[in-house]
Amino acid sequence: KFKETMKEQRKKIKLLEYLTASSNFMNVTDILTLQTILVGDSGVGKTSLLVQFDQGKFIPGSFSATVGIGFTNKVVTVDNINVKLQIWDTAGQERFRSVTHAYYRDAQALLLLYDITSKSSFDNTRAWLTEIHEYAQNDVVIMLLGNKSDMISSRMVRRDEGERLAREYGVPFMETSAKTGVNVDLVFKAVAKELKHRAAQLPNEPKFHIHEFIQTQKKESSCCSFL
Ligand SMILES: Nc1nc2c(ncn2[C@@H]2O[C@H](COP(=O)(O)OP(=O)(O)OP(=O)(O)O)[C@@H](O)[C@H]2O)c(=O)[nH]1
Ligand SMILES: [Mg+2]
């Protein structure tokens, strides 16, 4: 089923590229839809990251845990093509796991978050990956994100620990802040770019390298990022 979807999307992209090139007119939203899912412990900032990406704002105040699942549609432009990201925001709390498992299967990309001020949320990423391997597609694009990078003084997980873990998993890594917005747009742009390129990939086309793209674009805090 997944392969068929990719084939369909490849056709759509070719058509879109043709239309965009021939008419110089870009009104092609909603044609290519990519599903992305946010997972990770409760309180790591999944909903906040999505709100920051969607509305460009951070709502401070008391934490209200997501119940069940929510979703947001957002159009991003990748290489002159509009791509619709359908982003599923899952609840991190244990009691909702059975609800959210059902959504893993349809996801083409999966963002696994931990909170850099919580060692347990970092340690739990291993358990999350086990779930991901059990329920998601084999070729799902996974990205590891260390969120709350603005909270320098309460940091409990060093950036290089995140990098090491991501290397071990073979996935790209970024530190983000839903509060300041650092790297937030980049995460979703990288996902959209990777998925668009995968869908459009023909044997003789140059490949898109998500690791390199992130490496050149992401912002690192220049100091004080270790314990
Ligand atoms: N300083 C700071 N606080 C953040 C950041 N992201 C989230 N928070 C705060 O952390 C708390 C939890 O954020 P949520 O986005 O609700 O967490 P969640 O991962 O959606 O939690 P569940 O829905 O229970 O799975 C809230 O009080 C947020 O304001 C961040 O990048 N920086
Ligand atoms: Mg939430």
Side-chain angles (χ1 to χ4, degrees), residues 39-41 94 97 101 104 112 120-135 165 169:
V39 300
D41 277 9
E94 191 85 44
R97 293 291 150 83
H101 284 159
Y104 281 51
L112 172 56
S120 63
S121 74
F122 179 68
D123 293 339
N124 285 341
T125 55
R126 288 189 186 278
W128 281 107
L129 270 178
T130 310
E131 292 210 349
I132 292 164
H133 287 136
E134 191 170 336
Y135 296 101
L165 193 69
Y169 297 156

Side-chain angles (χ1 to χ4, degrees), residues 6 32 34-38 49 53 76 78 83-87 107-112 140-145 172 174 183-199 208 210 213-214:
M6 278 317 217
L32 184 69
L34 301 170
Q35 298 203 19
T36 302
I37 183 165
L38 302 171
L49 192 87
F53 175 57
V76 292
V78 177
V83 170
K84 184 162 93 182
L85 284 181
Q86 190 171 80
I87 308 158
Q108 286 147 294
L110 197 148
L111 304 177
L112 172 56
V140 65
V141 174
I142 301 172
M143 210 186 280
L144 180 69
L145 303 177
M174 252 188 279
N183 287 335
V184 174
D185 283 358
L186 177 59
V187 166
F188 291 97
K189 195 171 175 190
V191 164
K193 233 171 149 46
E194 165 79 14
L195 292 175
K196 183 257 169 185
H197 277 257
R198 272 194 186 192
F208 171 67
I210 190 168
F213 176 73
I214 287 169

Side-chain angles (χ1 to χ4, degrees), residues 38-51 58-68 89-93 96 113 115 117 128 146-151 176-181 184:
L38 302 171
V39 300
D41 277 9
S42 179
V44 297
K46 298 177 294 296
T47 302
S48 306
L49 192 87
L50 189 50
V51 168
F58 175 73
I59 304 155
S62 61
F63 162 41
S64 135
T66 302
V67 172
D89 174 26
T90 67
Q93 287 180 5
F96 298 115
L113 277 78
D115 169 356
T117 71
W128 281 107
N147 190 41
K148 307 198 187 177
S149 64
D150 58 285
M151 297 180 75
T176 56
S177 168
K179 185 175 180 179
T180 65
V184 174

